[in-house]
Amino acid sequence: GFLQDQAETALTRQYPDWEPPAVESVARFWRCYELAKTKENDQLSRTPSRRLDFDDLLIEAFLLLRDDARLRKQYQAMFDFVMVDETQD
């Protein structure tokens, strides 16, 4: 499928020394991971919801501030700078 092909292309570019079976396995895992985060595949809660990982949170925040002028202005008035720091527990 499309996601599998996209992942394989990206992995091949990023890791040119990887053998095709490794690329295919990681791409398949990535596809399953992304699908598991969707609302349709949420098997863990009574009320299914979309799950977000750290990268998703960054993208969603960017899109929200880019697309919602009122909210963007509100946060611009509150902060001069915003720092994003991912720490590992």
Side-chain angles (χ1 to χ4, degrees):
F2 179 71
L3 284 178
Q4 182 84 17
D5 294 341
Q6 247 187 335
E8 286 181 19
T9 300
L11 287 166
T12 301
R13 247 187 249 133
Q14 185 72 26
Y15 304 103
D17 296 337
W18 283 15
E19 296 292 326
V23 170
E24 292 166 12
S25 293
V26 172
R28 198 168 29 257
F29 174 81
W30 174 78
R31 180 177 171 266
C32 291
Y33 174 76
E34 289 298 321
L35 287 173
K37 293 188 309 180
T38 65
K39 185 175 183 176
E40 295 77 21
N41 292 308
D42 181 0
Q43 303 295 317
L44 301 176
S45 63
R46 290 186 182 160
T47 306
S49 62
R50 183 170 168 234
R51 305 211 184 277
L52 302 172
D53 60 18
F54 185 76
D55 293 345
D56 297 329
L57 293 173
L58 294 175
I59 292 167
E60 292 295 323
F62 166 76
L63 295 174
L64 182 63
L65 293 171
R66 182 193 71 185
D67 297 342
D68 188 331
R70 183 192 59 77
L71 185 68
R72 182 176 56 250
K73 288 177 185 174
Q74 179 181 345
Y75 278 97
Q76 284 175 332
M78 291 170 54
F79 302 106
D80 291 327
F81 300 96
V82 175
M83 182 179 81
V84 177
D85 180 23
E86 178 185 14
T87 59
Q88 300 297 320
D89 294 333

